Amino acid sequence: MTTTETTPPAASTGAGDYDAVIVGGGFAGMYMLHKMRQLGFTSRVIEAGSDVGGTWYWNRYPGARCDIESLSYQYSFDDSIQQEWNWSERYATQPEILEYARFVADRFDLRSGMQFDTRVTAASYDEASARWNVDTDQGDHYTGRFLIAATGCLSVPRLPDFEGLDSFEGDWYHTGDWPHEGVDFTGKRVGVVGTGSSGIQSIPRIAEQAAAVTVFQRTPNFSVPAHNAPLTPEQRDENKQVFQKLRREAETMIPARAGGPTVIPKAFDLDDDARTERYQKMWDMGGVMFMASCADLLVNKDANDTAAGFVREKIHEIVSDEKVADLLSPHDHPLGTKRLCVDTGYYDTYNNENVSLVDIRNAPIEEITANGIRTADADYEFDTLVFATGFDAMTGALLNMNIQGRDGLRLNDVWEEGPRTYLGLQVVGLPNLFTITAPGSPSVLSNMLISIEQHVDWISDCLEYMRERDLGTIEATPDAQDAWVQHVNEVGDSTLYPQADCWYTGANIQGKPRVFMPYVAGVGPYRQKCDEVASAGYEGFALAKEPAAAAR
Ligand code: NAP
């Protein structure tokens, strides 16, 4: 592998030949580009948006915030970033996170290595040259020794196939593809479909403006309060001192359910009063850490029932209309097996006269009409519709790229029955393609910044290892991939996670194969496994010299 003899990029598009073509300019692609530059590899990022930020570039709906605390949701690879950046709130808003991404892009001059407003339409591996050929919707052609998919897990918004949507005479929006200029709901009658994190965050904000909001709920979700607040200068300063130490601890964390912190009790180690007191304490603290109330909430259904019951009681305490509270109370999945939602005033909003809830589990949406929504038992009129209906998660962006590996092997065929990877980093038959935070890695069950940095570092180390040994190709072996997939499934099945129908398993999309996609053992054990694989000379991967035709 050479790093010096690359075709100079064309001035206008950056199209050309690179050591690595990186797809996606979100947090993963940004750091990957920076790392490639640091190591002296040539690379180019292809990004569909007009700027950096990935999911935070697109998800501009009102109320959009991160549900990981901002003091943790930041890069650690260069300490000066966190030393200089000051988060204003405990949970940062989408505009502030996007501003942070721009700050990092400016700091490291990342935009000069990125091709914006460009979407990859096809990527195929040419065995003779050991290169990936990448085509884009702008008609550009890139080649790269490596293709690195930094395409995100929640980057393909999904609009259900509602009949009649074209006939709707008002405006409609998807939360995952929100207009940059914003939406003014003042005086509008708004229908919102979907009550996942996006719906739960946006509904209270829309209701503050709109004349009336009608929420169409198929399945209620559990939500816990964020207890968001401004960060004080003291909190920020203290975090700057301890951030790197805390991050190193978080990177090696073993979940309590897998023998991690022993200070966390199991649910039935506590008597009823003590358990309730603990749930109350975690509820008052706010955020997804509610799931750490007891060590066994995600492995013991009886334990889970106690926490789920606590949240249902809270819903009934907050929502004054008992029928509405009943409807909002989830019963179909264990608490936390769907992504726990974190809200500001979600349940309270149903006490407002301008907000109503429609159960579409029993009376589904039949069609969108010119004036609104028709369910099995009523017609509703709206000026504006908001679809908070989620994403083709984890696999959607990869499958949309028309990836073909060796001998024309199509990723879409290989994954017809669901995604299979080795370590979430590679797929058999697709040499020199790396995937960042793909199925088979902790990704969406972790702080994404931790998982992104770990994958980027691991891939970068691997590329250096290959360069030092003059190796040209790397590909997961079938045995290693089979064993990893089996392990991921076994660990998943030892928890309650697979019991929920949601995007973790592909169940949110009709016809999508049902596979529990993330690796649940935790970022610590996963990192250890990846490090062991690397230390053993990339065990489970086949590494080879460049084919003669490709040597330069
Ligand atoms: P989601 O969790 O998949 O929720 C989609 C909602 O739309 C569900 O209530 C779903 O109902 C409903 N829906 C889908 N198709 C429908 C149909 N045909 N008819 C009626 N209802 C339908 O999507 P999301 O809310 O966008 O969240 C996805 C993930 O993004 C989250 O889990 C989270 O990881 C991430 N996210 C994070 C944040 C944050 O950091 N704060 C914010 C937003 C999103 P069913 O449940 O019945 O399918």
Side-chain angles (χ1 to χ4, degrees):
M1 176 170 48
T2 62
T3 57
T4 48
E5 298 168 41
T6 51
T7 310
S12 57
T13 66
D17 185 38
Y18 296 91
D19 290 324
V21 175
I22 301 164
V23 187
F27 284 126
M30 290 168 66
Y31 180 39
M32 194 76 240
L33 170 65
H34 175 64
K35 201 74 197 200
M36 292 289 91
R37 285 173 168 177
Q38 274 190 325
L39 296 176
F41 291 109
T42 59
S43 62
R44 187 84 182 158
V45 170
I46 304 174
E47 163 58 46
S50 302
D51 201 358
V52 295
T55 197
W56 300 107
Y57 174 86
W58 301 103
N59 283 266
R60 296 166 186 249
Y61 59 84
R65 284 178 192 276
C66 190
D67 58 9
I68 303 283
E69 297 193 31
S70 33
L71 293 179
S72 306
Y73 195 77
Q74 49 182 339
Y75 287 121
S76 75
F77 68 82
D78 183 320
D79 197 52
S80 69
I81 306 173
Q82 69 96 14
Q83 290 295 344
E84 284 174 40
W85 181 261
N86 289 309
W87 294 105
S88 63
E89 292 176 86
R90 180 179 175 190
Y91 297 95
T93 59
Q94 173 272 329
E96 190 171 15
I97 302 171
L98 187 56
E99 206 183 313
Y100 170 75
R102 290 174 171 153
F103 166 77
V104 176
D106 287 343
R107 160 60 59 88
F108 298 102
D109 182 30
L110 296 179
R111 290 189 187 83
S112 64
M114 297 188 165
Q115 199 57 44
F116 293 110
D117 301 306
T118 304
R119 202 174 271 283
V120 170
T121 51
S124 60
Y125 183 70
D126 175 50
E127 195 148 17
S129 63
R131 277 188 155 61
W132 281 91
N133 292 307
V134 179
D135 296 323
T136 76
D137 63 353
Q138 301 300 309
D140 303 324
H141 184 72
Y142 297 76
T143 50
R145 174 59 47 86
F146 296 94
L147 178 64
I148 302 176
T151 40
C153 295
L154 295 158
S155 46
V156 179
R158 177 189 158 258
L159 189 66
D161 220 354
F162 289 121
E163 207 173 302
L165 183 56
D166 287 349
S167 70
F168 182 61
E169 287 172 1
D171 297 318
W172 64 265
Y173 308 94
H174 190 288
T175 44
D177 189 9
W178 201 258
H180 288 205
E181 62 278 15
V183 177
D184 183 4
F185 291 103
T186 310
K188 306 278 190 204
R189 298 163 304 166
V190 184
V192 181
V193 182
T195 50
S197 298
S198 304
I200 281 175
Q201 285 188 335
S202 59
I203 288 162
R205 300 289 81 76
I206 296 171
E208 281 168 4
Q209 262 192 0
V213 174
T214 306
V215 178
F216 292 84
Q217 174 190 270
R218 190 164 64 183
T219 317
N221 263 306
F222 289 103
S223 188
V224 295
H227 295 313
N228 187 37
L231 287 168
T232 63
E234 292 73 27
Q235 284 172 312
R236 285 198 293 254
D237 288 349
E238 194 193 327
N239 191 66
K240 288 181 197 300
Q241 306 311 313
V242 295
F243 172 73
Q244 293 293 349
K245 178 174 170 288
L246 294 181
R247 174 55 66 87
R248 298 294 90 76
E249 287 168 8
E251 286 169 348
T252 52
M253 183 73 85
I254 302 171
R257 65 173 181 276
T262 47
V263 284
I264 299 178
K266 290 186 176 172
F268 297 112
D269 291 345
L270 305 170
D271 65 27
D272 290 357
D273 286 349
R275 200 167 48 241
T276 305
E277 199 178 308
R278 181 148 177 87
Y279 291 147
Q280 184 65 50
K281 189 175 148 209
M282 299 301 272
W283 179 271
D284 292 341
M285 215 181 280
V288 289
M289 287 308 286
F290 185 79
M291 291 310 298
S293 300
C294 296
D296 50 351
L297 293 185
L298 285 164
V299 288
N300 178 342
K301 178 68 167 53
D302 292 336
N304 191 288
D305 284 345
T306 64
F310 177 88
V311 176
R312 283 192 287 265
E313 273 177 32
K314 287 289 172 198
I315 297 171
H316 281 81
E317 273 173 30
I318 300 168
V319 179
S320 48
D321 183 320
E322 199 172 335
K323 274 193 197 146
V324 176
D326 285 345
L327 256 185
L328 288 168
S329 299
H331 286 279
D332 74 317
H333 63 281
L335 176 81
T337 54
K338 287 186 175 188
R339 175 83 180 180
L340 188 63
C341 301
V342 177
D343 71 276
T344 298
Y346 177 63
Y347 293 121
D348 299 84
T349 205
Y350 290 95
N351 294 330
N352 292 332
E353 278 189 0
N354 69 335
V355 180
S356 51
L357 184 65
V358 174
D359 173 23
I360 51 168
R361 169 69 57 193
N362 294 315
I365 293 176
E366 290 190 334
E367 63 175 315
I368 310 293
T369 63
N371 300 318
I373 290 180
R374 176 168 300 144
T375 69
D377 59 18
D379 271 300
Y380 300 85
E381 293 200 352
F382 300 111
D383 306 304
T384 309
L385 295 177
V386 173
F387 297 103
T389 45
F391 300 88
D392 185 353
M394 303 201 73
T395 56
L398 291 166
L399 294 175
N400 280 353
M401 282 200 288
N402 289 316
I403 295 175
Q404 286 192 17
R406 223 175 333 95
D407 303 325
L409 189 76
R410 294 177 66 243
L411 180 64
N412 297 51
D413 293 336
V414 178
W415 282 7
E416 196 172 7
E417 314 235 311
R420 295 175 68 79
T421 69
Y422 180 38
L423 299 172
L425 281 161
Q426 272 217 332
V427 179
V428 172
L430 307 171
N432 290 6
L433 167 64
F434 289 104
T435 50
I436 299 180
T437 65
S441 71
S443 73
V444 293
L445 296 182
S446 67
N447 174 345
M448 286 301 280
L449 269 296
I450 289 180
S451 288
I452 283 169
E453 287 192 337
Q454 187 242 338
H455 268 187
V456 170
D457 290 343
W458 192 95
I459 293 166
S460 307
D461 289 348
C462 178
L463 264 52
E464 265 201 298
Y465 175 95
M466 292 176 69
R467 178 167 60 187
E468 282 162 10
R469 288 160 185 77
D470 205 19
L471 296 166
T473 60
I474 178 168
E475 181 184 348
T477 63
D479 285 352
Q481 179 169 286
D482 288 349
W484 183 251
V485 169
Q486 189 180 339
H487 172 64
V488 170
N489 289 337
E490 279 168 7
V491 182
D493 288 342
S494 71
T495 71
L496 304 177
Y497 276 111
Q499 294 187 20
D501 284 343
C502 66
W503 59 266
Y504 288 160
T505 59
N508 64 324
I509 295 189
Q510 217 178 356
K512 189 165 172 171
R514 292 287 294 273
V515 174
F516 184 73
M517 295 187 272
Y519 179 53
V520 300
V523 292
Y526 174 75
R527 175 181 293 261
Q528 194 183 337
K529 168 74 181 169
C530 291
D531 289 349
E532 284 167 4
V533 163
S535 301
Y538 294 90
E539 191 177 30
F541 293 94
L543 293 106
K545 299 274 179 197
E546 299 175 33
R552 296 173 164 216

